[in-house]
């Protein structure tokens, strides 16, 4: 399943204030500095076209949402949509999410971390590029506040099983806690674009949640 071409961006919508580069960050980094309000923070790695950050920043305006995406064109598109909707509580960071967690995010800065449909990197020699790996799990545990939640969904059962085992082995997070499928009330009522696509093609989606004590 290839990814559809992105729609054209309206040049009248300025979105440069909605996007920053991971490689331009300086330690120590305070993620709250990206937002106009200081508020509970949710972070997503691999936001793709940004449906999750767009929807959730609208549903929960009292929280801040930081999306992260390595692919420039998707990250720009996600930032553009945030600008178009005039979100003041959402921002996109372009660059490697593993680096963002390893080098920049401070301890206990996030109430939730989200990873949805991460690239499976099927080839054995590419496996180390997977987001769910021991070093990331250590950073995830450090970055979440007590009672913070990690959300992990994928359509790849083998990645799901491996990730659950890694999370059990390398963290004290409680889980996996069950997450049930909800009924979509309209075409944008999905957690992410990939969830919409998987459900449209009736593919399985494996969902989990973990909680930090
Ligand atoms: C399969 S897509 C899923 C996109 C979105 N989460 C969704 O569910 O629609 C995975 C996304 O993760 C991004 N990605 C892969 N490795 C990444 C990394 N190390 N840091 C940030 N983004 C990454 C890819 O560019 C891609 O857009």
């Amino acid at each position: 399943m290839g990814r559809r071409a992105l729609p054209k961006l309206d040049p009248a919508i300025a979105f440069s204030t909605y996007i920053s580069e991971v490689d331009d960050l300086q330690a120590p980094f305070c993620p709250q500095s990206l937002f106009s309000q200081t508020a509970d923070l949710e972070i997503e790695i691999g936001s793709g076209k940004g449906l999750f950050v767009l929807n959730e920043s609208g549903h929960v305006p009292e929280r801040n949402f930081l999306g992260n995406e390595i692919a420039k064109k998707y990250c720009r598109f996600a930032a553009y949509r945030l600008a178009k909707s005039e979100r003041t509580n959402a921002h996109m960071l372009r660059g490697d999410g593993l680096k963002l967690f390893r080098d920049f995010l401070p301890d206990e800065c996030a109430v939730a971390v989200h990873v949805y449909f991460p690239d499976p990197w099927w080839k054995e020699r590419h496996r180390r590029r997977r987001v769910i790996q021991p070093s990331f799990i250590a950073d995830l545990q450090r970055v979440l506040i007590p009672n913070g939640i990690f959300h992990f969904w994928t359509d790849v059962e083998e990645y799901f099983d491996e990730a659950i085992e890694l999370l059990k082995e390398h963290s004290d997070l409680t889980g996996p806690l069950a997450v049930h499928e909800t009924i979509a009330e309209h075409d944008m009522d999905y957690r992410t674009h990939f969830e919409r696509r998987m459900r449209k093609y009736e593919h399985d989606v494996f969902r989990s949640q973990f909680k930090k004590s």
Side-chain angles (χ1 to χ4, degrees):
M1 262 188 282
R3 292 174 82 168
R4 247 188 284 153
L6 295 173
K8 272 214 158 78
L9 310 190
D10 177 352
I13 295 173
F15 59 91
S16 61
T17 56
Y18 284 85
I19 189 166
S20 311
E21 289 282 329
V22 171
D23 286 342
D24 291 343
L25 298 179
Q26 307 234 322
F29 166 61
C30 172
Q32 297 289 346
S33 65
L34 299 169
F35 303 95
S36 55
Q37 63 177 1
T38 299
D40 285 348
L41 176 67
E42 301 203 24
I43 302 169
E44 183 190 25
I45 298 193
S47 300
K49 292 190 264 182
L51 185 62
F52 169 75
V53 173
L54 178 69
N55 280 346
E56 287 307 297
S57 58
H59 293 149
V60 197
E62 66 277 13
R63 285 192 173 182
N64 288 334
F65 290 85
L66 181 58
N68 160 249
E69 170 54 51
I70 203 164
K72 194 169 189 169
K73 69 175 179 179
Y74 291 117
C75 197
R76 281 169 53 82
F77 184 71
Y80 167 84
R81 295 170 98 191
L82 297 176
K84 194 172 173 189
S85 298
E86 300 182 351
R87 295 285 191 266
T88 57
N89 61 330
H91 192 88
M92 292 300 304
L93 263 178
R94 216 284 313 164
D96 182 2
L98 297 176
K99 180 175 180 180
L100 170 67
F101 271 69
R102 187 187 65 226
D103 295 347
F104 296 110
L105 290 175
D107 297 358
E108 300 189 0
C109 67
V111 299
V113 172
H114 304 259
V115 177
Y116 297 118
F117 304 90
D119 292 326
W121 296 112
W122 291 113
K123 289 186 182 156
E124 199 53 48
R125 69 178 189 279
H126 292 155
R127 281 294 166 91
R128 63 193 163 78
R129 298 186 195 168
R130 281 188 170 182
V131 171
I132 310 296
Q133 53 177 279
S135 58
F136 170 73
I137 292 171
D139 287 325
L140 167 69
Q141 178 148 305
R142 180 180 64 70
V143 160
L144 283 172
I145 63 162
N147 293 322
I149 304 282
F150 174 54
H151 303 259
F152 172 65
W153 298 13
T154 176
D155 56 309
V156 180
E157 188 170 15
E158 175 262 317
Y159 193 170
F160 186 77
D161 292 342
E162 187 182 305
I164 300 299
E165 286 312 308
L166 285 173
L167 282 153
K168 282 185 188 164
E169 194 180 333
H170 295 277
S171 81
D172 300 327
L173 302 178
T174 305
L177 309 170
V179 180
H180 300 291
E181 186 168 301
T182 56
I183 294 168
E185 290 180 1
H186 54 79
D187 202 37
M188 288 297 180
D189 190 20
Y190 293 94
R191 190 62 69 100
T192 69
H193 286 95
F194 265 68
E195 192 207 7
R196 181 172 65 185
R197 191 199 292 206
M198 293 309 156
R199 286 176 59 178
K200 189 172 157 200
Y201 289 103
E202 298 183 353
H203 288 201
D204 288 335
V205 174
F206 303 91
R207 301 173 176 83
S208 67
Q209 238 176 243
F210 286 79
K211 186 172 183 180
K212 180 168 164 178
S213 34

